[in-house]
């Protein structure tokens, strides 16, 4: 039996995070939890369903309403990742801050208690855990890529994709890992896995990596219009791994951790 706070702590502990990040929240707290329903996307309908089916708590991966919590704070992590990769701070901030500001503006207009009020009325404990699990997925994918390049510094984009495909989440995916920009036979060079910062950095973040000496960026997804703009400029190479399979790289270890702790976890909405 655990509390919603302990469920959150379990996820934070996977990546040594101290505080709940802005894109994750407990909407309705609860205790004595044993039967958990866990899905990538949860709406109020699934909360009502969970009540009917006798679950003790519901966990979502994605924020149920991104604008209703300060999720934009997590988008700023792109600045840290860019700086760690050697991009000057000023350029990193210029690539990230405008979109974060737009997200912060949306927060001003959101109905912040929509989900918490419904979960409270149903008395269905409800939380969402986003960044901690994506950060775990980022670390696993970055290590997979780095290990591939450590064995062979001349590894090609095709070799990097093959190494990633060895992860079970990609082997079983509906989507295929795509070399969205570049040739399979071309050396990958340095690869930055740009994941775990709320959402992909679109044109601006990839462009900042490319223009500051990082030849290959990995996104889990990208808007098509941003991809077309990057393609037109031909400044670098881009691997797109697929949204849900990439999310599962960080989600599956958390499911295993909950089950190891004696919880009965039922998975829906993209989680197997
Ligand atoms: Fe996601
Ligand atoms: Fe995710």
């Amino acid at each position: 039996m655990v509390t919603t706070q302990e469920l959150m702590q379990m996820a934070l502990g996977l990546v040594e995070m101290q505080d709940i990040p802005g894109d994750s929240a407990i909407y309705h707290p609860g205790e004595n939890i044993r039967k958990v329903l866990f899905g990538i996307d949860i709406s109020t309908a699934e909360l009502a369903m969970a009540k009917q089916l006798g679950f003790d708590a519901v966990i979502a991966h994605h924020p149920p309403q991104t604008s209703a919590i300060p999720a934009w704070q997590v988008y700023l992590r792109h600045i840290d990742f860019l700086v760690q990769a050697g991009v000057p701070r000023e350029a990193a901030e210029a690539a990230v801050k405008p979109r974060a500001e737009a997200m912060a503006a949306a927060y001003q207009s959101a109905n912040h208690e929509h989900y918490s009020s419904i979960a409270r009325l149903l008395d269905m404990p409800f939380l969402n855990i986003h960044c901690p699990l994506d950060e775990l997925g980022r670390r696993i994918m970055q290590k997979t890529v780095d290990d591939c390049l450590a064995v062979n510094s001349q590894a090609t984009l095709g070799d990097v994709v093959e190494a990633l495909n060895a992860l079970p989440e990609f082997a079983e995916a509906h989507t295929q890992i795509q070399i969205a920009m570049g040739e399979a036979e071309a050396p990958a060079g340095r690869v930055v896995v740009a994941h775990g910062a709320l959402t992909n950095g679109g044109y601006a973040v990839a462009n900042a990596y490319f223009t500051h000496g990082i030849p290959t960026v990995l996104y889990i997804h990208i808007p098509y219009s941003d991809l077309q703009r990057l393609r037109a400029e031909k400044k670098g190479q881009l691997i797109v791994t697929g949204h849900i399979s990439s999310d599962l790289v960080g989600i599956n270890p958390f499911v295993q951790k909950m089950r190891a702790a004696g919880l009965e976890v039922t998975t829906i909405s993209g989680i197997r």
Side-chain angles (χ1 to χ4, degrees):
M1 298 279 208
V2 294
T3 64
T4 42
Q5 186 65 35
E6 285 165 340
L7 286 170
M8 184 66 84
Q9 287 299 332
M10 247 188 236
L12 294 175
L14 286 168
V15 287
E16 312 95 41
M17 276 187 190
Q18 306 298 324
D19 303 314
I20 300 175
D23 66 349
S24 305
I26 297 171
Y27 302 90
H28 181 59
E31 51 190 19
N32 299 324
I33 293 161
R34 192 180 65 80
K35 286 184 69 175
V36 174
L37 184 66
F38 186 16
I40 291 182
D41 292 295
I42 297 292
S43 71
T44 51
E46 284 82 15
L47 295 180
M49 180 187 80
K51 189 71 184 179
Q52 263 180 3
L53 296 176
F55 286 96
D56 300 324
V58 181
I59 307 174
H61 174 55
H62 291 153
Q65 193 188 355
T66 310
S67 60
I69 53 175
W72 56 272
Q73 292 169 0
V74 174
Y75 191 74
L76 297 174
R77 282 165 55 90
H78 277 300
I79 295 172
D80 303 332
F81 296 148
L82 284 157
V83 169
Q84 279 163 25
V87 177
R89 178 162 289 278
E90 204 175 318
E93 289 183 353
V96 175
K97 281 194 167 171
R99 190 155 168 223
E101 268 180 38
M103 293 176 186
Y107 177 73
Q108 293 286 58
S109 70
N111 179 358
H112 299 89
E113 295 194 9
H114 179 68
Y115 271 84
S116 54
S117 69
I118 291 162
R120 189 164 60 239
L121 190 62
L122 288 165
D123 194 21
M124 176 49 65
F126 178 44
L127 64 158
N128 96 285
I129 306 173
H130 194 244
C131 181
L133 304 183
D134 284 347
E135 168 59 14
L136 180 61
R138 185 191 70 81
R139 291 182 189 183
I140 293 168
M141 286 193 278
Q142 186 70 62
K143 183 176 187 315
T144 303
V145 171
D146 289 348
D147 287 353
C148 171
L149 288 160
V151 171
N152 174 13
S153 63
Q154 295 305 303
T156 63
L157 290 177
D159 294 333
V160 169
V161 170
E162 196 181 317
L164 288 163
N165 273 328
L167 293 171
E169 288 80 5
F170 295 116
E172 297 164 2
H174 289 276
T175 52
Q176 289 198 326
I177 299 176
Q178 182 193 13
I179 299 172
M181 292 168 59
E183 299 298 327
E185 302 75 28
R190 190 167 168 202
V191 181
V192 170
V193 175
H195 174 47
L198 184 64
T199 189
N200 71 83
Y203 168 84
V205 169
N207 180 59
Y209 282 117
F210 294 154
T211 51
H212 292 91
I214 289 90
T216 305
V217 170
L218 183 153
Y219 275 161
I220 72 164
H221 51 78
I222 182 173
Y224 187 62
S225 56
D226 289 36
L227 175 59
Q228 290 298 79
R229 192 172 164 199
L230 289 166
R231 278 175 172 164
E233 294 181 6
K234 294 189 176 69
K235 290 182 190 163
Q237 308 181 120
L238 182 71
I239 296 172
V240 177
T241 51
H243 183 179
I244 298 304
S245 49
S246 306
D247 269 351
L248 289 176
V249 173
I251 287 170
N252 286 341
F254 179 54
V255 174
Q256 286 156 16
K257 187 174 180 178
M258 286 194 286
R259 287 182 176 149
L263 298 170
E264 188 184 318
V265 183
T266 300
T267 54
I268 59 167
S269 182
I271 309 175
R272 294 208 183 94

